[in-house]
Amino acid sequence: KESSMHGDLTARQKQFLDFVRTFVLDNGYPPSIREIQRSFGLKSTKGVKGHIDKLVEKGYLNRKDGSARALSLPGQRFSSERRTTDFQAPLIGRVAAGLPILAEENEEGRMPVPERFQGLDGLFWLEVHGDSMIDAGILNGDFVLVRPVPFVEEGTVAVVLIDNEATVKKFYHRGDTIRLVPANEQYKTMEFHGPACASIRVAGKVIALSRYF
């Protein structure tokens, strides 16, 4: 199973592995070291190479010397279990798209994951309550598929935790200011400055949604 398969990886190594997997799924080819560096906001490629070396050493990645896109994913790392249409991720709590509500930590059920995202670690679904993201195509009652990541690019639709509450917003972080921007002009942007930013944490990036009629 995936949990035992990845038991020898550090949290940071899993983040790098998940990034490579997602990049390959989205683009059909592996990322370069520079692309990984930029995506993780690192100042040099040295830190990237250290983690990639460990992933290659442990057999989670293959590397072909002499190529700018030297990485590849061993086929056995995408097990048949995770490639079936029956692959599911947990449905955890609820998300307020509007005013934040308490995010329950308990699993409320399981929902199928689109095939293109199967093989990624840690995916989970959250139910949206509210209409503050309707102009981004996210409606009240939708279920958003979330990929846990430590940070997101400016303007990314993300699940953000405010203390123990969760909300779906476009995320912006510049200097000592965090802005959570709705996609509905009837709602105001939520701004946090200085020490108040410590209460804000990105839970993950919204990568898909499911809607029932």
Side-chain angles (χ1 to χ4, degrees):
K1 294 183 179 180
E2 196 74 11
S3 58
S4 60
M5 180 186 298
H6 286 176
D8 59 339
L9 296 183
T10 66
R12 192 63 164 166
Q13 288 166 2
K14 288 185 68 175
Q15 290 172 2
F16 275 77
L17 180 59
D18 282 348
F19 175 83
V20 174
R21 283 177 164 176
T22 301
F23 192 100
V24 171
L25 287 170
D26 288 345
N27 299 281
Y29 55 85
S32 67
I33 296 297
R34 288 289 183 187
E35 287 168 334
I36 298 174
Q37 174 200 345
R38 289 194 296 268
S39 295
F40 279 84
L42 300 176
K43 294 182 179 179
S44 72
T45 60
K46 184 177 180 180
V48 176
K49 290 179 179 178
H51 289 296
I52 295 300
D53 287 346
K54 288 295 183 181
L55 290 170
V56 171
E57 178 183 328
K58 295 178 180 181
Y60 290 95
L61 292 176
N62 292 331
R63 178 168 51 199
K64 180 180 179 181
D65 293 334
S67 171
R69 300 186 184 276
L71 302 176
S72 63
L73 294 162
Q76 67 268 25
R77 295 305 175 187
F78 294 99
S79 69
S80 58
E81 176 187 359
R82 299 181 69 85
R83 279 300 185 183
T84 68
T85 56
D86 294 330
F87 180 88
Q88 296 183 332
L91 171 62
I92 301 177
R94 303 163 68 185
V95 171
L99 297 177
I101 61 174
L102 182 65
E104 300 175 7
E105 297 298 331
N106 295 330
E107 180 178 324
E108 296 184 348
R110 301 187 71 83
M111 294 178 58
V113 172
E115 185 173 356
R116 65 177 298 195
F117 300 117
Q118 294 173 17
L120 298 179
D121 288 331
L123 297 179
F124 60 93
W125 291 96
L126 286 167
E127 184 178 359
V128 175
H129 285 256
D131 60 358
S132 75
M133 296 300 291
I134 58 174
D135 291 339
I138 301 175
L139 308 182
N140 180 44
D142 283 349
F143 296 90
V144 291
L145 181 62
V146 184
R147 175 178 173 240
V149 290
F151 57 86
V152 293
E153 296 181 358
E154 295 282 283
T156 296
V157 177
V159 174
V160 182
L161 296 179
I162 307 172
D163 292 325
N164 291 323
E165 297 177 320
T167 187
V168 175
K169 293 290 186 293
K170 293 182 180 179
F171 182 85
Y172 295 87
H173 187 187
R174 295 185 180 180
D176 64 349
T177 299
I178 290 176
R179 294 190 302 129
L180 305 180
V181 181
N184 183 336
E185 61 182 11
Q186 296 183 14
Y187 290 83
K188 294 182 179 180
T189 294
M190 304 169 68
E191 290 195 3
F192 302 84
H193 305 277
C197 293
S199 64
I200 308 301
R201 180 170 66 88
V202 174
K205 175 182 179 180
V206 174
I207 59 175
L209 67 81
S210 180
R211 180 175 301 152
Y212 294 92
F213 296 94

